[in-house]
Amino acid sequence: MNVATNLRINADRLWDSLMEMAKIGATEKGGVCRLALTDLDRQARDLFCQWAKDAGCTVKIDKMGNIFARRPGKDDSLSPVMTGSHIDSQPTGGKFDGIYGIMAGLEVVRTLNDFNYETQRPIEVAVWTNEEGSRFAPAMVASGVFAGVFPLDYGLSRADLDGKTMGQELKRIGYDGPEEVGGRPVFAFFETHIEQGPILENEKKTIGVVQGAQGQRWFEVTMVGQEAHAGPTPMKVRKDALVGAAHVVTAINRIGHDNQPFACATVGLIQSSPNSRNTIPGKVFFTIDLRHPEDAVLSKMAAGAKAACEEAAAKNSLELDFKEIWYSPPVKFDTSCVGAVKAGAEELGMPSMPIISGAGHDACYMSRVAPTGMIFIPCEGGISHNEIESATREDCGAGCDVLLRAVVERANAL
């Protein structure tokens, strides 16, 4: 790999930065609530931008609010090697999901500064807007716009449950940047992340060399029946939308179990109306999340989900609106980037293994426009999207040291 053997990141500085970021949106159970484009998101963005400028980076922001902190290379006309992740969190999220990848990228820049090490290509640390998809659906929408998957107007028009759009909220928090979204070459992209699953911990491996990611299909379903009094209305004439939805929830769970290994199927959000204890629910809105690394199996699961919704609607005399709002096909990462990650782990003597990402990441969209790789580190119990999400100082440092080597190797490639 020919990276100077004395190059090592400062694990304590990385950890301190993570813990400082974790104060923004901190929750009682030790996690964070930092939803996309809220005031807390703005505070974390402001802090990152200040740290990046302190590290000598120039900072640019595009029209989707994506942030790019650039460390120049010997030939700044060359396309950059980019690394990064996201700042936004789940409502009850952890303090490593997303932000670890950004702090690892910043630590790479700080380390190169410490050693006065100049790469041939520039290096950029990217902060992608609304990766989680928790406040604005779909997930990863801003990296999707960068990669040309979604048009800019589509991204800016995504609305939260209160009707506020991403465009409005970007302007409100001051991150509606002037730069065009995408349309420029990126030599390579790396994302460092906690695994969000138990495999590395169970296998006692420090580094996951990510080969690719599962495909995903997201659906939004509305079932409409008839509101009626819970007392006088006989069971046989009811049009209970929540009963229909309950049938679907059970069916989706069965679809996940029937397509093992690898399949995951989830109903994660349900809104019942009028949500009154003595009124039969007349309308229910819910979401379906299906995942599998093989596209043919994922399509079969989607067909099963649609059939389950149609059957439940017919059985309970309900109107049905079933629509797919997002499809992310299975991803295979670039061999040169995967190889750089593997070589970095081997050079450092860290136990590693190939792994497939069960979650979606901005790297999945970036893989459409640039050679891409990912690095996973273990998280305790494989738990993520939870306030108790935890990773060790040592593993965070190890993943960042591998990232340093992979980034430098690619940034010196011509």
Side-chain angles (χ1 to χ4, degrees):
M1 183 171 266
N2 297 322
V3 175
T5 56
N6 64 328
L7 283 181
R8 289 290 190 280
I9 63 99
N10 185 328
D12 289 336
R13 178 172 58 194
L14 170 62
W15 185 262
D16 289 346
S17 297
L18 280 165
M19 294 306 105
E20 189 66 25
M21 274 289 185
K23 294 177 182 178
I24 303 174
T27 62
E28 291 184 4
K29 295 181 182 178
V32 295
C33 177
R34 202 163 51 220
L35 298 180
L37 309 187
T38 57
D39 290 341
L40 291 170
D41 186 16
R42 176 187 54 77
Q43 290 177 35
R45 287 164 169 263
D46 288 350
L47 182 56
F48 167 77
C49 289
Q50 186 57 57
W51 282 347
K53 291 173 182 176
D54 291 345
C57 294
T58 56
V59 175
K60 292 186 176 181
I61 302 166
D62 71 20
K63 293 177 180 178
M64 281 301 300
N66 299 317
I67 305 168
F68 302 96
R70 184 181 180 102
R71 183 183 194 262
K74 291 180 181 178
D75 185 350
D76 218 35
S77 68
L78 294 174
S79 56
V81 171
M82 191 182 288
T83 184
S85 195
H86 60 98
I87 280 175
D88 65 307
S89 81
Q90 291 287 323
T92 52
K95 54 179 174 278
F96 298 93
D97 181 0
I99 194 66
Y100 167 58
I102 294 172
M103 293 299 96
L106 180 61
E107 178 56 33
V108 165
V109 169
R110 288 168 165 172
T111 298
L112 294 176
N113 290 346
D114 290 343
F115 286 85
N116 294 313
Y117 190 101
E118 193 174 13
T119 55
Q120 290 292 330
R121 295 177 177 275
I123 294 170
E124 292 186 6
V125 183
V127 177
W128 303 109
T129 300
N130 187 57
E131 189 273 352
E132 291 289 1
S134 179
R135 184 181 179 194
F136 305 96
M140 298 135 54
V141 66
S143 58
V145 175
F146 186 94
V149 177
F150 307 120
L152 176 61
D153 288 347
Y154 174 87
L156 294 176
S157 67
R158 297 307 86 202
D160 65 12
L161 295 177
D162 295 324
K164 297 175 181 176
T165 68
M166 290 188 69
Q168 291 168 340
E169 290 296 88
L170 281 167
K171 186 174 183 179
R172 184 186 67 81
I173 68 169
Y175 275 87
D176 54 335
E179 302 295 323
E180 296 300 320
V181 187
R184 60 187 178 96
V186 176
F187 187 72
F189 178 80
F190 292 96
E191 184 169 2
T192 313
H193 211 281
I194 57 171
E195 180 197 342
Q196 299 183 288
I199 296 173
L200 291 176
E201 184 178 70
N202 291 344
E203 297 294 327
K204 295 180 170 53
K205 304 294 186 183
T206 305
I207 301 297
V209 183
V210 186
Q211 310 294 300
Q214 286 187 324
Q216 298 184 56
R217 290 185 181 272
W218 281 15
F219 302 89
E220 291 184 345
V221 184
T222 302
M223 289 182 158
V224 179
Q226 187 174 57
E227 297 169 18
H229 198 297
T233 310
M235 299 298 292
K236 64 181 180 180
V237 301
R238 294 183 178 200
K239 298 179 180 180
D240 190 326
L242 189 55
V243 170
H247 288 169
V248 175
V249 172
T250 301
I252 296 304
N253 187 62
R254 185 173 62 251
I255 287 169
H257 283 288
D258 288 348
N259 289 279
Q260 293 303 301
F262 308 126
C264 292
T266 306
V267 174
L269 185 156
I270 299 178
Q271 294 175 320
S272 178
S273 176
N275 209 30
S276 171
R277 69 182 63 219
N278 60 348
T279 301
I280 297 166
K283 181 178 180 180
V284 175
F285 169 84
F286 59 95
T287 62
I288 299 173
D289 178 322
L290 304 177
R291 307 188 187 209
H292 199 278
E294 296 179 23
D295 209 29
V297 179
L298 185 61
S299 295
K300 183 181 76 170
M301 292 168 64
K306 184 179 181 182
C309 289
E310 290 172 344
E311 180 182 350
K315 184 176 181 179
N316 294 280
S317 302
L318 307 174
E319 297 175 17
L320 173 67
D321 180 33
F322 178 93
K323 59 186 177 185
E324 183 173 54
I325 66 160
W326 184 49
Y327 166 54
S328 179
V331 173
K332 184 176 181 181
F333 288 141
D334 175 75
T335 55
S336 64
C337 291
V338 172
V341 172
K342 182 181 178 182
E346 290 175 349
E347 183 179 320
L348 292 163
M350 294 176 181
S352 67
M353 63 177 287
I355 194 169
I356 295 290
S357 175
H361 298 282
D362 292 304
C364 295
Y365 281 147
M366 285 302 295
S367 71
R368 301 191 183 196
V369 293
T372 295
M374 285 194 76
I375 300 163
F376 278 173
I377 63 166
C379 55
E380 185 176 344
I383 296 173
S384 183
H385 284 200
N386 189 313
E387 292 165 276
I388 66 170
E389 172 188 282
S390 184
T392 68
R393 182 191 306 247
E394 292 73 23
D395 287 343
C396 288
C400 189
D401 257 326
V402 173
L403 175 67
L404 171 66
R405 274 152 180 74
V407 166
V408 170
E409 191 274 334
R410 291 286 81 198
N412 284 333
L414 298 175

